[in-house]
Amino acid sequence: MKPPVRVVVTGAAGQIGYALLFRIASGEMLGADQPVILHLLEITPALSVLEGVIMELKDCAFFLLEGCIATDDPNVAFKDADYAILVGAMPRKDGMKRSDLLQANGGIFSTQGRAINEHSNRNVKVLVVGNPANTNALIAQQNAPDLDPSCFTAMVRLDHNRALSQLAEKTSTNSKDVKKVIIWGNHSTTQYPDLHHTTVCGEPALSKVDKEWYENSFINDVQQRGLAVIKSRGVSSVASAVSAAIGHMRSWILGTDEDDWVSMAVLSDGSYGIAPGVFYGYPCICKDGQYEIVQGLEINDFSRIRMNATEEDLRSERSSIEKHLISIVTE
Ligand code: NAD
Ligand code: LMR
């Protein structure tokens, strides 16, 4: 057995938190030889619910679970953290865009970014799930100036998985036969699910589906899937979001498959003409705990228009947050 690592989950008593903790404690995220100490952050009124969650965690007798710390203080939660999954935030309801959550949720991520900066391990790996995830990741990262920006990522893996699944269904194959899907940009309706580099059973995906389906159904269905779930269930996705979060962290920490990549939102560095300063979904390969943006892919005009549109969306979210940040910094 390895020495234990400290994993923070914020919003630990919420819908996603509740489902996520058990999968981490059972070893699904970090492997069956990696003990964990869970650091669970909640707001004060939810601490009594969190107590019950901890009772249930204990009742599972997970041999990898070496301890649980429950707190409403970010400075305690992020102390010595090796990994952090930032879930705690308000979810949207039918009729709302994810960006409508920006003002409500933005403040949470500046406080947590500062606590991470101050207290976490210098190579902490942070995944932001709470919406709007890309811009919340930017807020957290900007409030952690002492850390390498590559410590911070946001989740577009759910969109990636949705694309894998929808394409597999369309081509009557299995999601494991589908490789190299890309979600470019924002986890919003402007995201661009790109199949130009994707293969299905080793052959180009776009040779297996008609153009009309790709351009007029698939892209829109992936973009709108979160809303479709909300309309059907009355609340936003939970189990699929948890699965995506586990997959995102597992790929980052344990590596991606040789012949594939994953989509991760990371701080843009100019790759593919996306100017620095936003958390943008890119195809990434991961090795030895580091991610790298896949370089050198050819981008046609169809893709370029959509990649620029989702960048614009992120820049507009960023500009509303810049105002918000000023009031937080001068608090
Ligand atoms: P939920 O309301 O069930 O749970 C949120 C929890 O966060 C609550 O328990 C709340 O008390 C807690 N919380 C609120 N403020 C907090 C703070 N400052 N510190 C710590 N905890 C805090 O919501 P949920 O269904 O678990 O969703 C959580 C977030 O994840 C939402 O913003 C939702 O939109 C987002 N989400 C993102 C994706 C994605 O793909 N990126 C997918 C699904 C959901
Ligand atoms: C999703 O994509 O399911 C989540 O981001 C929830 C939402 O608001 O759509």
Side-chain angles (χ1 to χ4, degrees):
M1 278 294 168
K2 300 172 180 166
V5 290
R6 294 177 184 273
V7 182
V8 182
V9 175
T10 72
Q15 293 297 308
I16 292 178
Y18 179 70
L20 185 57
L21 298 176
F22 297 82
R23 295 185 63 176
I24 298 171
S26 70
E28 274 188 68
M29 186 171 93
L30 297 166
D33 59 349
Q34 180 57 73
V36 293
I37 299 170
L38 292 175
H39 291 211
L40 310 178
L41 180 66
E42 258 299 347
I43 52 172
T44 314
L47 285 178
S48 57
V49 177
L50 192 53
E51 255 177 56
V53 175
I54 292 176
M55 285 182 217
E56 283 202 73
L57 275 166
K58 289 184 177 165
D59 294 348
C60 293
F62 289 123
F63 67 91
L64 292 172
L65 185 58
E66 292 211 354
C68 284
I69 296 169
T71 179
D72 56 2
D73 181 351
N75 296 314
V76 173
F78 289 106
K79 179 103 180 67
D80 298 329
D82 299 296
Y83 305 105
I85 307 183
L86 309 190
V87 179
M90 188 196 286
R92 69 172 165 156
K93 299 196 174 64
D94 196 4
M96 293 171 80
K97 299 192 293 299
R98 294 183 189 105
S99 57
D100 293 337
L101 299 170
L102 213 40
Q103 300 312 325
N105 289 341
I108 296 174
F109 292 86
S110 56
T111 307
Q112 293 181 0
R114 286 200 290 268
I116 292 168
N117 192 51
E118 204 132 309
H119 301 291
S120 295
N121 276 350
R122 298 302 82 182
N123 56 358
V124 62
K125 288 182 168 47
V126 180
L127 167 63
V128 176
V129 174
N131 277 319
N134 300 53
T135 298
N136 288 337
L138 178 72
I139 296 170
Q141 182 270 322
Q142 299 255 311
N143 280 278
D146 301 340
L147 294 178
D148 191 302
S150 69
C151 293
F152 291 83
T153 62
M155 192 162 95
V156 289
R157 183 65 167 265
L158 178 52
D159 312 294
H160 183 102
N161 290 346
R162 287 167 172 163
L164 287 179
S165 171
Q166 290 184 23
L167 181 57
E169 194 172 334
K170 179 71 177 172
T171 53
S172 303
T173 59
N174 188 288
S175 58
K176 75 172 168 33
D177 300 322
V178 181
K179 311 274 185 209
K180 300 189 174 176
V181 157
I182 307 172
I183 304 296
W184 297 104
N186 199 3
H187 174 62
S188 75
T189 52
T190 63
Q191 67 177 266
Y192 170 45
D194 183 359
L195 296 185
H196 288 90
H197 310 278
T198 307
T199 59
V200 177
C201 298
E203 288 176 34
L206 291 180
S207 69
K208 297 199 167 249
V209 296
D210 56 90
K211 197 165 169 267
E212 206 277 324
W213 176 80
Y214 171 54
E215 293 183 0
N216 299 327
S217 295
F218 171 82
I219 292 176
N220 186 62
D221 287 352
V222 175
Q223 289 172 332
Q224 297 290 344
R225 185 66 159 190
L227 186 58
V229 171
I230 291 172
K231 282 192 184 299
S232 169
R233 273 174 32 88
V235 290
S236 70
S237 59
V238 176
S240 55
V242 169
S243 204
I246 295 279
H248 177 114
M249 292 303 278
R250 199 179 161 87
S251 299
W252 191 3
I253 297 156
L254 301 177
T256 40
D257 294 342
E258 280 277 291
D259 56 347
D260 206 357
W261 59 53
V262 292
S263 301
M264 296 169 74
V266 302
L267 190 60
S268 56
D269 61 355
S271 295
Y272 296 98
I274 308 303
V278 290
F279 273 72
Y280 193 90
Y282 280 110
C284 292
I285 49 170
C286 305
K287 206 175 163 202
D288 301 329
Q290 305 296 322
Y291 71 76
E292 254 179 48
I293 298 171
V294 174
Q295 299 292 340
L297 299 174
E298 213 169 285
I299 305 298
N300 65 17
D301 290 347
F302 181 88
S303 295
R304 175 51 62 196
I305 290 167
R306 286 158 182 79
M307 287 166 69
N308 289 352
T310 192
E311 180 189 3
E312 266 309 297
D313 181 26
L314 282 165
R315 296 223 174 267
S316 133
E317 284 188 13
R318 185 187 162 118
S319 60
S320 66
I321 268 314
E322 254 151 2
K323 283 180 248 145
H324 190 54
L325 270 181
I326 293 163
S327 64
I328 290 160
V329 168
T330 54
E331 258 168 16

Coordinates of all heavy atoms in Angstrom, one line a residue, residues 49-80:
V49 N -26.0 17.2 7.8 CA -26.3 16.2 6.8 C -24.9 15.5 6.5 O -24.9 14.2 6.3 CB -26.8 16.9 5.5 CG1 -26.9 15.8 4.4 CG2 -28.1 17.6 5.8
L50 N -23.9 16.2 6.5 CA -22.6 15.6 6.2 C -22.2 14.6 7.2 O -21.6 13.6 6.9 CB -21.5 16.8 6.1 CG -20.1 16.4 5.6 CD1 -20.2 15.8 4.2 CD2 -19.3 17.7 5.5
E51 N -22.6 14.8 8.5 CA -22.3 13.8 9.5 C -22.9 12.4 9.1 O -22.3 11.4 9.3 CB -23.0 14.2 10.8 CG -22.1 14.8 11.8 CD -22.9 15.2 13.0 OE1 -23.6 14.4 13.6 OE2 -22.7 16.4 13.4
G52 N -24.1 12.5 8.6 CA -24.8 11.2 8.1 C -24.1 10.6 7.0 O -24.0 9.4 6.9
V53 N -23.5 11.4 6.1 CA -22.8 10.9 4.9 C -21.5 10.2 5.4 O -21.2 9.1 5.0 CB -22.4 12.1 4.0 CG1 -21.5 11.6 2.8 CG2 -23.6 12.8 3.4
I54 N -20.9 10.8 6.4 CA -19.7 10.1 7.0 C -20.0 8.8 7.7 O -19.3 7.8 7.6 CB -19.0 11.1 7.9 CG1 -18.4 12.3 7.1 CG2 -17.8 10.4 8.7 CD1 -17.7 13.4 7.9
M55 N -21.2 8.8 8.4 CA -21.6 7.5 9.0 C -21.7 6.5 7.9 O -21.2 5.4 8.1 CB -23.0 7.7 9.6 CG -23.0 8.5 10.9 SD -24.8 8.5 11.5 CE -24.9 10.1 12.2
E56 N -22.3 6.8 6.8 CA -22.5 5.8 5.7 C -21.1 5.4 5.1 O -20.9 4.2 4.8 CB -23.4 6.4 4.6 CG -24.8 6.4 4.9 CD -25.7 6.4 3.7 OE1 -25.7 5.4 3.0 OE2 -26.2 7.5 3.4
L57 N -20.2 6.4 5.0 CA -18.9 6.0 4.5 C -18.2 5.0 5.4 O -17.7 4.0 4.9 CB -18.0 7.3 4.4 CG -18.1 8.1 3.1 CD1 -17.5 9.5 3.3 CD2 -17.5 7.4 1.9
K58 N -18.4 5.3 6.7 CA -17.8 4.3 7.7 C -18.5 3.0 7.6 O -17.8 1.9 7.7 CB -17.9 4.9 9.1 CG -17.0 6.1 9.3 CD -17.0 6.6 10.7 CE -16.0 7.7 10.9 NZ -16.2 8.4 12.1
D59 N -19.8 3.0 7.3 CA -20.5 1.8 7.3 C -20.2 0.9 6.1 O -20.5 -0.3 6.0 CB -22.0 2.1 7.3 CG -22.5 2.7 8.6 OD1 -21.7 2.7 9.6 OD2 -23.6 3.2 8.7
C60 N -19.5 1.5 5.1 CA -19.0 0.7 4.0 C -17.7 -0.1 4.3 O -17.3 -1.0 3.5 CB -18.8 1.6 2.8 SG -20.3 2.3 2.1
A61 N -17.1 0.3 5.4 CA -15.8 -0.4 5.8 C -14.8 -0.4 4.6 O -14.1 -1.5 4.4 CB -16.1 -1.8 6.3
F62 N -14.7 0.6 3.9 CA -13.7 0.7 2.8 C -12.3 0.6 3.3 O -11.9 1.4 4.2 CB -13.8 2.0 2.0 CG -15.1 2.2 1.2 CD1 -15.9 3.2 1.4 CD2 -15.4 1.2 0.1 CE1 -17.1 3.4 0.6 CE2 -16.5 1.4 -0.6 CZ -17.4 2.5 -0.4
F63 N -11.5 -0.4 2.9 CA -10.2 -0.6 3.5 C -9.3 0.6 3.1 O -8.2 0.8 3.7 CB -9.6 -1.9 3.2 CG -9.3 -2.2 1.7 CD1 -8.0 -1.9 1.2 CD2 -10.2 -2.7 0.9 CE1 -7.7 -2.1 -0.1 CE2 -9.9 -2.9 -0.5 CZ -8.7 -2.6 -1.0
L64 N -9.6 1.3 2.0 CA -8.7 2.4 1.5 C -9.0 3.7 2.3 O -8.2 4.7 2.1 CB -8.9 2.6 0.0 CG -8.4 1.5 -0.9 CD1 -8.9 1.8 -2.3 CD2 -6.9 1.4 -0.8
L65 N -10.1 3.8 3.0 CA -10.5 5.0 3.6 C -9.8 5.2 5.0 O -10.2 4.5 6.0 CB -12.0 5.1 3.8 CG -12.5 6.5 4.3 CD1 -12.1 7.6 3.4 CD2 -14.1 6.4 4.4
E66 N -8.8 6.0 5.1 CA -8.1 6.2 6.3 C -8.5 7.3 7.2 O -8.0 7.5 8.3 CB -6.6 6.3 6.0 CG -6.0 5.0 5.4 CD -4.5 4.8 5.7 OE1 -3.9 5.7 6.4 OE2 -4.1 3.7 5.4
G67 N -9.5 8.1 6.8 CA -10.0 9.1 7.6 C -10.9 10.1 6.9 O -10.9 10.1 5.6
C68 N -11.7 10.8 7.6 CA -12.6 11.8 7.0 C -12.5 13.1 7.9 O -12.6 13.0 9.1 CB -14.0 11.4 7.1 SG -14.5 10.2 5.9
I69 N -12.3 14.2 7.3 CA -12.4 15.5 8.0 C -13.5 16.3 7.4 O -13.6 16.5 6.2 CB -11.0 16.3 7.8 CG1 -9.9 15.5 8.4 CG2 -11.1 17.7 8.4 CD1 -8.5 16.0 8.1
A70 N -14.5 16.7 8.3 CA -15.6 17.4 7.8 C -15.5 18.8 8.4 O -15.2 19.0 9.6 CB -16.9 16.8 8.3
T71 N -15.7 19.8 7.5 CA -15.5 21.2 8.0 C -16.3 22.2 7.1 O -16.6 21.9 6.0 CB -14.0 21.6 8.0 OG1 -13.8 22.9 8.4 CG2 -13.4 21.5 6.6
D72 N -16.5 23.4 7.7 CA -17.1 24.5 6.9 C -16.0 25.6 6.7 O -16.4 26.7 6.3 CB -18.3 25.1 7.6 CG -18.1 25.5 9.0 OD1 -16.9 25.5 9.5 OD2 -19.0 26.0 9.7
D73 N -14.8 25.2 7.0 CA -13.7 26.2 6.9 C -12.8 25.8 5.7 O -12.0 24.8 5.8 CB -12.9 26.3 8.2 CG -11.8 27.3 8.2 OD1 -11.5 27.8 7.1 OD2 -11.2 27.5 9.2
P74 N -12.7 26.6 4.6 CA -11.9 26.2 3.5 C -10.4 26.1 3.9 O -9.7 25.3 3.3 CB -12.0 27.4 2.5 CG -13.3 28.0 2.9 CD -13.5 27.8 4.4
N75 N -10.0 26.9 4.9 CA -8.6 26.8 5.3 C -8.2 25.5 5.9 O -7.1 25.0 5.8 CB -8.2 27.9 6.3 CG -8.4 29.3 5.7 OD1 -7.9 29.5 4.5 ND2 -9.1 30.2 6.3
V76 N -9.2 24.8 6.6 CA -9.0 23.5 7.1 C -9.1 22.5 6.0 O -8.3 21.6 5.9 CB -10.1 23.2 8.2 CG1 -10.0 21.8 8.7 CG2 -9.9 24.2 9.4
A77 N -10.1 22.6 5.2 CA -10.4 21.6 4.1 C -9.2 21.5 3.2 O -8.9 20.4 2.8 CB -11.6 22.1 3.3
F78 N -8.6 22.6 2.8 CA -7.6 22.5 1.7 C -6.1 22.3 2.3 O -5.2 22.2 1.5 CB -7.6 23.8 0.9 CG -8.8 23.8 0.0 CD1 -9.9 24.7 0.2 CD2 -9.0 22.9 -1.1 CE1 -11.0 24.7 -0.5 CE2 -10.1 22.9 -1.9 CZ -11.1 23.8 -1.6
K79 N -6.0 22.1 3.6 CA -4.7 21.9 4.2 C -4.1 20.6 3.7 O -4.6 19.6 3.8 CB -4.9 21.9 5.8 CG -3.7 21.7 6.5 CD -3.2 23.0 7.2 CE -1.9 22.8 7.9 NZ -0.7 22.5 7.2
D80 N -2.9 20.8 3.1 CA -2.1 19.7 2.6 C -2.8 18.8 1.5 O -2.5 17.6 1.3 CB -1.7 18.7 3.8 CG -0.8 19.5 4.8 OD1 -0.1 20.4 4.4 OD2 -0.9 19.1 6.0

